[in-house]
Amino acid sequence: MSPRRFPGMVPWSGVVFVCAALAVCLVLGGCSQGGRASAPMQESTIKPLGLLYGQFMGQHQGRPPASEEEFKQFVRERGMGMLKQFNVPDVESLFVSPRDKQPYVVIYGEIKGPPALAGQPVIAYERQGVGGKRFVANSLGAVEEVDETKFRELVPQ
């Protein structure tokens, strides 16, 4: 006996597929710019940095890394596949912005700040950025390029 269907109803498998597709699109950041990330964003290492930070938290009961060394050790042990996937040559390169050539500022220990990108606080950002704009990222891998005014809203000083 097949389940009864009403006109206009979408089967659950279709709903699940659409929700899964939307989630993947949001996590990968492809929805924000017409399905394509900007060239500078694609070349940036901040997205994999945010994703690996989120993986760290997921594997440590929601606790963020306490220090840069603890986070780098985690990346060396469990994140090399992601570095390869994002064409990041080594662990040290992950922590430096290719745009401003400065190390990213990464928040270690307790994360403070307003829910910003995709409802999560910023966990890393470019120290200087380019042209008055900086990339900021959260632990879900969401990345946004923001001006100084928006940056001050997202990152408490």
Side-chain angles (χ1 to χ4, degrees), residues 39-92:
M41 192 177 298
Q42 287 178 337
E43 295 165 4
S44 175
T45 55
I46 199 165
K47 183 172 194 69
L49 180 79
L51 290 169
L52 285 163
Y53 194 103
Q55 283 184 5
F56 180 99
M57 290 178 64
Q59 294 179 21
H60 293 88
Q61 293 78 42
R63 178 183 67 82
S67 67
E68 182 173 304
E69 189 50 45
E70 180 182 32
F71 187 34
K72 284 183 177 180
Q73 186 62 35
F74 173 82
V75 173
R76 284 184 201 100
E77 292 173 0
R78 301 186 187 153
M80 298 309 286
M82 185 172 295
L83 295 186
K84 185 176 180 182
Q85 177 184 352
F86 280 90
N87 298 316
V88 179
D90 54 51
V91 174
E92 294 304 318

Side-chain angles (χ1 to χ4, degrees), residues 59-136:
Q59 294 179 21
H60 293 88
Q61 293 78 42
R63 178 183 67 82
S67 67
E68 182 173 304
E69 189 50 45
E70 180 182 32
F71 187 34
K72 284 183 177 180
Q73 186 62 35
F74 173 82
V75 173
R76 284 184 201 100
E77 292 173 0
R78 301 186 187 153
M80 298 309 286
M82 185 172 295
L83 295 186
K84 185 176 180 182
Q85 177 184 352
F86 280 90
N87 298 316
V88 179
D90 54 51
V91 174
E92 294 304 318
S93 297
L94 177 68
F95 289 82
V96 177
S97 168
R99 295 189 340 150
D100 66 11
K101 310 294 188 240
Q102 300 288 318
Y104 290 114
V105 176
V106 181
I107 311 297
Y108 296 107
E110 183 181 352
I111 301 172
K112 297 177 182 175
L117 309 172
Q120 299 295 313
V122 169
I123 56 91
Y125 56 88
E126 286 180 310
R127 189 173 304 275
Q128 293 177 339
V130 174
K133 294 188 175 188
R134 305 184 211 198
F135 282 144
V136 296

